Amino acid sequence: MDTGSVSSSFERLLAPQPAPPWWLVLVTAALALILVGYRPLWRITRAAVTVAHEGGHALFALLTGRRLHAITLHTDTSGLTVSSGKPTGPGMILTAMAGYPAPALLGVGYAALLGSGRVSVMLWATLAMLVAVLVKVRNVYGLLTVLVLGALVFGVSWYGSDLLQAGFAYLAAWFLLAAAVRPVLELQRGRRRQPGRTDSDADQLARLTHLPALLWVLFFALVCLAAAVIGGWLMLAPVEQLHPLFQR
């Protein structure tokens, strides 16, 4: 393979792309809210949030020296990440804590890349993360979910026009920022309906840290809301430069 062509392709991948039309940023934000807020669609799109959630658990399990065994994704859009290591201590706490904030923090990362014009980097980084998750998925539904998401991202990044790529990337970023909040609300709603339930991340953290589970729910909510504000600002800031309506 010609090293010059590889270097040129790599440079094109990292090069910033022109800012998208101002209307695309706003339209994708509105579409993301519909995907999160409209229940029939949410039942489908929530699977992408579960992938990010379990990916967060898996990443911090590895970062803290735990042994990652398996990721499973279920048809009810729940998931489970299995790792082994010390059952208490900072590593276990960080692993349990990483799930709910993961989609929000990933959304902020996407927003930072998009705000600097790195649409291609964002899409290919997503593919790399999906491949990393795929290696540890251990059930058929989980494999299909990750493969479908990967095929969608690859198709857009390889065959899509610049406008389509930008629209897809902004939609994904807005979706993660908005969608991260809803599972936290659902978590607390489920804890209210089933007060004896102890298998949630918040309840697991309560046992590990001796802090109330509700405090951990509030922590998840604050992280997700802060991420939504920061990510939204990163993506909307260029809009002020692109359209007089949004200029101060």
Side-chain angles (χ1 to χ4, degrees), residues 29 31 39 47 49 61 74 81 88 100-101 107 109 123 127-128 155 157 159 161 164 185 187 196 200 216 223 231 239:
L31 288 175
R39 187 179 295 274
V49 182
H74 304 138
T81 298
T88 59
Y100 281 97
L123 293 173
L127 273 176
S157 61
Y159 298 106
S161 64
L164 178 61
L185 300 177
L187 166 64
S200 72
W216 285 107
V223 171
V239 173

Side-chain angles (χ1 to χ4, degrees), residues 62-74:
L62 294 172
L63 290 177
T64 57
R66 297 179 62 79
R67 183 178 178 85
L68 180 62
H69 295 291
I71 298 172
T72 55
L73 307 172
H74 304 138

Side-chain angles (χ1 to χ4, degrees), residues 16 36 69 86 108 119 127 145 153 163 193 204 223 242 248:
V36 174
H69 295 291
K86 190 177 178 181
V108 171
V119 174
L127 273 176
T145 299
V153 176
L163 186 63
R193 291 175 178 172
Q204 185 179 9
V223 171
L242 293 173
R248 295 183 179 87

